[in-house]
Amino acid sequence: FAKTFRKVKVKDNSGKMLEAVVMEKLNTGPFIKLWDTLENTLKQFEKNLPYSKQISDVEYFAKHIKNPSYTKNWNDFIQFAKKQNSSLSGKIDEFNKMVEKLYKITPNPDIRKFNLGYDKNGILKALDI
């Protein structure tokens, strides 16, 4: 996860005081590009699946991989994505490991395009669970 540095108080739009956390800034741009690549790859992958097994998008897929009917397809998709995008194989593995780690923390992780990014050392981190 992104490092947290301290709690602060901030005002919302109505002037109400809220507590917030100052967090490490993550570079979401490269992850968004990876996510978009995975979305395009998913469309190619789905061509080999019966209509009843097709998945709407990466977010839906990642949020349902613990459902036994999706688990095998997720693993097959990851392998397919790595073959289709061999230069991104390491990043795809890193994303897959992140998804696994998030599921160890909670049964319903909030896996979305804008909830992940890279720190200054290039390590993938989550902003939310």
Side-chain angles (χ1 to χ4, degrees):
F1 291 98
K3 294 176 188 173
T4 56
F5 297 114
R6 65 186 178 279
K7 283 185 181 179
V8 295
K9 297 215 183 251
V10 295
K11 288 184 183 180
D12 70 4
N13 291 342
S14 67
K16 181 181 174 186
M17 291 301 291
L18 304 172
E19 287 191 2
V21 178
V22 177
M23 298 178 71
E24 168 185 29
K25 184 173 181 164
L26 299 182
N27 184 358
T28 57
F31 182 77
I32 290 169
K33 286 181 183 177
L34 174 64
W35 186 278
D36 290 342
T37 298
L38 291 174
E39 287 284 355
N40 290 330
T41 304
L42 180 59
K43 289 175 187 159
Q44 295 169 1
F45 176 75
E46 285 185 315
K47 291 178 183 176
N48 300 319
L49 297 176
Y51 182 77
S52 63
K53 296 282 186 179
Q54 292 185 2
I55 302 99
S56 59
D57 56 35
V58 173
E59 180 177 333
Y60 181 87
F61 203 4
K63 289 182 176 183
H64 290 85
I65 62 169
K66 292 303 178 182
N67 177 327
S69 65
Y70 289 105
T71 303
K72 182 183 181 320
N73 281 349
W74 175 261
N75 293 329
D76 291 345
F77 168 65
I78 293 298
Q79 294 309 310
F80 180 83
K82 288 167 44 176
K83 285 180 187 173
Q84 296 295 107
N85 308 284
S86 59
S87 65
L88 297 173
S89 182
K91 295 290 184 189
I92 294 168
D93 277 338
E94 187 179 32
F95 171 61
N96 189 38
K97 288 176 187 171
M98 175 63 73
V99 169
E100 290 174 15
K101 287 178 184 179
L102 292 172
Y103 271 102
K104 288 180 182 176
I105 296 169
T106 179
N108 297 306
D110 192 11
I111 302 166
R112 289 192 238 186
K113 183 177 187 175
F114 302 105
N115 278 358
L116 296 139
Y118 296 97
D119 70 7
K120 64 182 177 182
N121 296 316
I123 296 171
L124 183 63
K125 293 186 175 183
L127 291 165
D128 195 1
I129 56 169

